[in-house]
Amino acid sequence: MTRRRGPTGSARIGVSGLGYMGLATALSFSAHGGSVIGYDVNREVTDRIAHGRSPYHEAGLESLLSRELSSGRFRVVGDLAEMVAETEGVFLCLPTPAGARGRIDLRPVTSGARQLGKALRRTEGHRTVVIKSTVVPGTTERVLEPELRRVSGLGTDRLGVAANPEFLAEGSMVRDALRPERIVLGVNDPRSRGWLRRVYRSFGAPVLELSPTGAELVKYASNAFLALKVSFANEISRMAERLGTHVDDVMAATGADPRIGSKFLRAGPGFGGSCFEKDLRALVTCARDLGVRLRTGETTLTVNAEQTHHALELARQAAGPLHDRTVAVLGLSFKPGTDDVRESRAFPLVTGLLKDGARARVHDPVALGRFREAWKLGHPGGPGNGESLVFASSVPSALEGADLAILHTDWPEYRAWPRSWTDRMRQGVVLDLRRSLPASVTTRARLKVVALGVGNGSMPNGGPAGPPGSRRP
Ligand code: UGA
């Protein structure tokens, strides 16, 4: 990217919490010319980052990291007080994992705020603390700001507290962080507002200013609406199958209306990831606490869970009863381009296959290790690398003797599907949950394809009567 020497260049910025989002955020400030110090309690993470190695599989992150480290504008420290002393404001990028009964677990963020409060006690001049973590509306003003003031002893003349949610999506984090569509600032005090405007000026994105609580609600409303679009497309996909049409054609034509928009209308196995499900649950719970019933949120979650049942039904239609069958599941991360398996729909899918009495052989080009770890945590003493569940390190070994392959995550490497892969299978049948295998490839590979959201007669090369979307070469 071309480095713009704008006002960000004069800002001294701290970022506390160097997870996926914190690191991408810190590097984007530095790439825009800011002077950035990153801090994380986890020494292993800071050591890796200091040596130019990204702890996360994320396109472009490691090269941006090495560029910004060598520019001298970005560095990491192992001492929070040092970061606070040398910066004008600190972005708090700590996780808010799912807590009990649909709520979020605020402990990491409150304890981070407390540590920050202690470090702030020893500072001079004005500081701004910016909450970037996803927290339910009202948290900054009612919980975090009072806690920061209590621990630091600083009044409004010395400390401003703002909310600034992020909208980075995994797989495109670097691009999203460097060139955001919009900046949402939740800020009440003029000094912090001025500083934040300066920090973001050279990003060139529209800045939308609200109260901290309003900004927090924007974050949840955004994720809830995106998830709603996905669930909507998934319901329409079930209709498309029965009507003998193609969900992508239908959604493309529907989304061509700019009031609707074409993004996030791709039907698939249901949404996964660390945000949508957790955020929707938290929003529904927060609404309930306010005396509001958020039916769209509840339904979005229900439809998402149902989509796995639907995928299993398609698998039964494609391969017959699954009992005693071998099924390969290709792709385990919640989307391509990341090794993140949090809330991946591959978990309920594999669970459903095993429940039906099938043997599952699972593969992912980058997320296999994380999937195995998470599976074993969730199933202590349960199936894992035994007869019923095999973690396969290559596609051919996953397909060996399989009666059915289910394409769960559309990694580009699966799209090449050579004939030799089909030859490994007992029956060359694939259930394509993302409609990512090109007809030319599957014809050449002599694969029978059943595609989610595609009804008979709507496939480009037609096909005999059979289950939804079935296509034979
Ligand atoms: C999401 C939001 O897109 C980000 O804006 C937000 O900042 C982030 O959550 C967060 O709150 O941190 P992310 O979860 O990384 O980002 O990934 P998405 O691209 O939104 O995908 C989420 C899930 O929806 C994936 O499983 C994906 O396969 C699925 N999806 C997405 C579909 O099935 N169809 C679509 O059309 C789009």
Side-chain angles (χ1 to χ4, degrees), residues 304-326:
N304 201 47
E306 280 170 6
Q307 194 68 354
T308 301
H309 303 307
H310 181 62
L312 287 163
E313 191 44 47
L314 289 180
R316 290 180 204 109
Q317 287 178 25
L322 297 173
H323 184 77
D324 232 13
R325 299 296 182 97
T326 301

Side-chain angles (χ1 to χ4, degrees), residues 57 331-333 335-341 363-371 411 413-414:
H57 179 97
L332 303 168
S333 56
K335 65 187 219 182
T338 175
D339 58 353
D340 196 344
V341 298
H363 172 267
D364 190 285
V366 302
L368 187 69
R370 285 192 186 230
F371 185 86
W411 285 100
E413 36 271 75
Y414 296 143

